């Protein structure tokens, strides 16, 4: 958490100098965009390889540290997605079975 606050402080402190003193102005966005593009392939290919969106969501729900994602065992077993689909279908069937005033042919 301390690293986060230090980074935010550093950006807030340095950006006005870069914006006005170096006269970059709005081109400051290229600096942030460029650094983001440097880290994007790492995150895309190495950090989340072999993980589905549901796996990543589950890791966030379990509050697993990001450094331990590769070795972390999920509490929810695979196939729970099928349970979610089934419950969603059951909920839809229940809503359809209710008479909410729709005209039926």
């Amino acid at each position: 958490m301390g690293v986060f606050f230090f980074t935010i402080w550093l950006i807030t402190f340095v950006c006005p100098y870069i914006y006005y003193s170096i006269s970059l102005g709005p081109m400051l966005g290229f600096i942030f965009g460029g650094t983001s593009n440097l880290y994007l392939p790492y995150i895309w290919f190495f950090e989340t390889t072999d993980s589905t969106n549901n796996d990543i969501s589950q890791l966030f729900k379990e509050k697993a540290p990001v450094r331990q994602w590769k070795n972390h065992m999920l509490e929810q077993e695979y196939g729970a997605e099928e349970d979610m689909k089934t419950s969603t279908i059951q909920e839809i069937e229940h809503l359809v079975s209710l008479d909410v005033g729709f005209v039926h042919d």
Side-chain angles (χ1 to χ4, degrees):
M1 193 81 163
V3 174
F4 170 75
F5 286 115
F6 176 73
T7 305
I8 296 301
W9 174 83
L10 184 67
I11 290 171
T12 306
F13 184 78
V14 172
C15 280
Y17 292 108
I18 295 172
Y19 192 89
Y20 295 111
S21 299
I22 303 177
S23 300
L24 281 181
M27 291 190 306
L28 183 62
F30 288 116
I31 293 173
F32 292 116
T35 55
S36 296
N37 287 334
L38 284 175
Y39 290 111
L40 184 64
Y42 171 76
I43 293 169
W44 188 267
F45 293 112
F46 299 110
E47 196 68 28
T48 58
T49 302
D50 299 330
S51 298
T52 64
N53 289 341
N54 291 333
D55 291 344
I56 294 171
S57 294
Q58 187 65 28
L59 288 167
F60 278 115
K61 286 178 187 174
E62 293 179 14
K63 297 182 180 177
V66 176
R67 293 179 182 168
Q68 297 175 0
W69 279 13
K70 292 284 183 191
N71 302 324
H72 185 76
M73 298 297 293
L74 295 173
E75 291 178 8
Q76 189 175 16
E77 295 181 14
Y78 291 103
E81 298 167 3
E82 195 64 39
D83 294 338
M84 278 190 346
K85 289 178 187 173
T86 306
S87 66
T88 305
I89 291 171
Q90 290 171 352
E91 290 172 4
I92 291 172
E93 288 175 351
H94 174 69
L95 291 174
V96 170
S97 68
L98 294 175
D99 186 18
V100 290
F102 289 113
V103 177
H104 299 289
D105 291 333

